[in-house]
């Protein structure tokens, strides 16, 4: 472990001021950051502890939605009665991730900022443009079974690991941020970046920015939604493909559709054209398969992960079928 400074912030303004120093990082639950420090992947010169800030509440919004505090624990969020009842896909997504012990520590804000689990990012003996810009991407010509099939670049084919974020993308949540330049609201679809030629930058956050909350809209697709995660084992594993699906139904016809994929790209993946292909159409496997093929039209596999294209198509059809059939919001 390399040496670093530690300070505990007593307010958001204090945290932002302390984070202005180069090489300083915020820490709350620490479930990903501390692992990366131990592995010598990340080397912050200082940590600012924000875990005592009053950002852990889940509150109603004037628009009829919910505001999830950035420091609310994943477990508390998943088991909140309002989340279970009004946003069941979100509760199910959280509970599909990590382990009970990690969910008890991990925070909502930290979940948005967790880093990829690419083998090469974690192995400091190998090249990785995300860890060391300009060194190359070991995954492109290496072992790439878990890697991206959409939105990748010749600099990086890593995927975003979060389950929570896939559901937030489908729900069109909004991330509330405060920083040296003041407060701002970031639509969830704009929060994470594709790798392009700067894969080391995961989000649009600026230096010193602090996530304070995540706002959920009033519409949670409580009657017809689901979260499906396909992985190598039943628990404590990251998604090969995951799907958050929400439908508004008029009998057997789709009136509105939301569809987001995880495990396939550098950020949760949505495609408005695929969702539009479902509107006004009957909720049948053939229609769902057609929408899946629209979403996956630009998918590109690598030596070990081409199977994920068909897997994603099948997962989309299965998730949409389950969402169309589901009525009400059973608790996880």
């Amino acid at each position: 472990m390399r040496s670093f400074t530690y300070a505990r912030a007593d307010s958001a303004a204090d945290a932002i001021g302390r984070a202005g120093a180069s090489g300083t990082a915020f820490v709350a639950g620490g479930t990903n950051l501390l692992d990366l420090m131990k592995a010598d992947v990340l080397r912050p010169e200082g940590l600012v502890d924000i875990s005592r800030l009053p950002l852990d509440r889940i509150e109603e919004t004037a628009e009829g939605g919910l505001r999830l505090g950035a420091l609310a624990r994943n477990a508390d969020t998943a088991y909140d009665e309002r989340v279970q009842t009004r946003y069941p896909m979100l509760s199910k997504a959280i509970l599909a991730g990590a382990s009970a012990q990690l969910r008890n520590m991990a925070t909502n804000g930290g979940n948005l900022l967790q880093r990829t689990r690419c083998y090469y990012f974690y192995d400091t003996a190998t090249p990785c443009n995300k860890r060391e810009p300009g060194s190359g991407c070991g995954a492109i010509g290496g072992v790439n079974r878990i890697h991206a099939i959409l939105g990748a670049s010749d600099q990086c084919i890593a995927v975003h690991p979060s389950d929570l974020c896939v559901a937030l993308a489908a729900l069109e949540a909004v991330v509330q941020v405060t920083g040296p330049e003041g407060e701002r609201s970031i639509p969830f679809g704009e929060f994470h970046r594709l790798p392009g030629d700067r894969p080391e930058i995961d989000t649009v956050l600026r230096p010193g920015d602090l996530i304070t909350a995540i706002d959920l809209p009033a519409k949670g697709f409580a009657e017809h939604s689901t979260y499906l995660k396909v992985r190598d084992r039943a628990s404590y594993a990251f998604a090969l493909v995951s799907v958050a699906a929400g439908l508004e139904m008029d009998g057997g016809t789709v009136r509105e559709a939301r569809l987001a994929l995880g495990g396939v790209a550098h950020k949760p993946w949505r495609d408005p054209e695929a969702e539009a292909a479902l509107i006004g159409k009957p909720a049948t496997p053939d229609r769902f398969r057609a929408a899946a093929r629209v979403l996956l039209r630009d998918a590109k596999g690598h030596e070990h992960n081409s199977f994920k294209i068909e897997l994603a198509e099948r997962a989309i059809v299965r998730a949409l079928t389950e969402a169309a059939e589901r009525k009400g919001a059973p608790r996880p």
Side-chain angles (χ1 to χ4, degrees), residues 40 54 78 96 101 103-104 106 133 142 229 242 248 250 284 287 319 323:
D40 206 30
Q101 294 90 336
R103 293 192 296 268
N104 285 338
K229 182 174 183 178
S242 64
E248 187 173 319
D250 182 6
T284 64
R287 294 293 183 180

Side-chain angles (χ1 to χ4, degrees), residues 2-293:
R2 297 173 183 264
S3 62
F4 58 90
T5 62
Y6 171 87
R8 179 178 292 162
D10 55 22
S11 68
D14 181 36
I16 293 165
R18 292 178 182 274
S22 176
T24 301
F26 295 128
V27 63
T31 55
N32 187 207
L33 174 61
L34 298 183
D35 280 348
L36 291 169
M37 290 174 65
K38 291 176 183 178
D40 206 30
V41 175
L42 295 184
R43 304 168 183 175
E45 297 175 10
L47 296 181
V48 178
D49 187 344
I50 60 172
S51 62
R52 305 286 180 95
L53 300 185
L55 300 175
D56 61 349
R57 291 185 288 273
I58 299 176
E59 302 172 313
E60 301 284 343
T61 66
E63 296 75 24
L66 282 182
R67 171 162 289 183
L68 310 178
L71 295 180
R73 306 293 175 174
N74 286 178
D76 292 336
T77 303
Y79 289 117
D80 184 281
E81 184 175 1
R82 295 162 295 180
V83 174
Q84 289 182 322
T85 302
R86 292 153 56 181
Y87 307 93
M89 83 162 77
L90 182 62
S91 179
K92 190 172 183 180
I94 295 171
L95 294 175
S99 65
Q101 294 90 336
L102 287 171
R103 293 192 296 268
N104 285 338
M105 283 297 296
T107 63
N108 293 332
N111 192 296
L112 272 58
L113 300 177
Q114 64 178 301
R115 307 303 300 274
T116 183
R117 269 32 178 221
C118 171
Y119 320 122
Y120 299 92
F121 178 67
Y122 271 78
D123 185 351
T124 58
T126 63
C128 172
N129 286 322
K130 182 177 287 294
R131 173 173 33 79
E132 186 179 349
S135 63
C137 176
I140 290 177
V143 179
N144 45 46
R145 182 173 181 272
I146 65 172
H147 290 76
I149 57 173
L150 289 164
S153 74
D154 61 0
Q155 299 294 307
C156 180
I157 59 171
V159 299
H160 194 271
S162 173
D163 293 290
L164 167 66
C165 288
V166 183
L168 291 176
L171 290 168
E172 296 186 348
V174 176
V175 183
Q176 302 298 336
V177 172
T178 185
E181 301 178 32
E183 298 181 354
R184 58 192 177 121
S185 301
I186 306 173
F188 202 83
E190 300 173 12
F191 183 79
H192 295 100
R193 297 178 65 257
L194 291 177
D197 59 1
R198 296 294 305 276
E200 74 276 16
I201 304 174
D202 289 346
T203 74
V204 297
L205 291 180
R206 302 164 185 158
D209 275 351
L210 175 68
I211 299 173
T212 57
I214 304 158
D215 287 352
L216 303 179
K219 180 174 289 187
F221 297 91
E223 292 189 345
H224 295 284
S225 66
T226 194
Y227 183 76
L228 173 67
K229 182 174 183 178
V230 183
R231 47 189 162 175
D232 284 323
R233 56 181 184 268
S235 67
Y236 200 49
F238 295 97
L240 292 169
V241 173
S242 64
V243 185
L247 300 173
E248 187 173 319
M249 302 293 297
D250 182 6
T253 301
V254 177
R255 290 179 54 190
E256 185 174 355
R258 301 277 180 82
L259 189 61
L261 264 64
V264 298
H266 200 254
K267 60 183 287 185
W269 192 266
R270 283 186 66 193
D271 186 331
E273 291 186 30
E275 295 171 2
L278 293 167
I279 307 303
K281 302 297 193 299
T284 64
D286 286 344
R287 294 293 183 180
F288 296 156
R289 190 169 296 106
R293 289 174 178 172

